[in-house]
Amino acid sequence: MILEDTIGEVAGEVWDFLEDNGETSVSGVTKGVDAPGTKVYMAMGWLAREDKLEFLDKKRGNAVRLK
């Protein structure tokens, strides 16, 4: 499978996770999505590039939510 296809699939899982759970810490997303952490980070980058995510700087780390 081509890596871009895998990242696209994981991006869909990230989207579904955030749609179900709302704003979540970045580490919470990597734990909540059933994929290797590096692919989850790449998928979040993909979604961010498409302007689908908003990243928030919190007192105890970073959070992410759908736009």
Side-chain angles (χ1 to χ4, degrees), residues 25-64:
S25 68
V26 171
S27 63
V29 175
T30 60
K31 292 175 187 168
V33 173
D34 187 25
T38 55
K39 289 194 174 91
V40 175
Y41 286 123
M42 286 187 263
M44 285 192 283
W46 178 318
L47 291 168
R49 181 76 173 139
E50 291 184 346
D51 203 31
K52 308 265 187 206
L53 298 182
E54 181 175 25
F55 292 91
L56 307 154
D57 189 20
K58 299 287 188 169
K59 289 180 184 179
R60 303 184 105 194
N62 298 303
V64 61

Side-chain angles (χ1 to χ4, degrees), residues 4-46:
E4 287 85 357
D5 293 340
T6 302
I7 295 167
E9 289 176 12
V10 176
E13 293 177 33
V14 169
W15 179 275
D16 292 341
F17 179 85
L18 291 171
E19 190 171 55
D20 292 342
N21 296 285
E23 183 179 308
T24 306
S25 68
V26 171
S27 63
V29 175
T30 60
K31 292 175 187 168
V33 173
D34 187 25
T38 55
K39 289 194 174 91
V40 175
Y41 286 123
M42 286 187 263
M44 285 192 283
W46 178 318

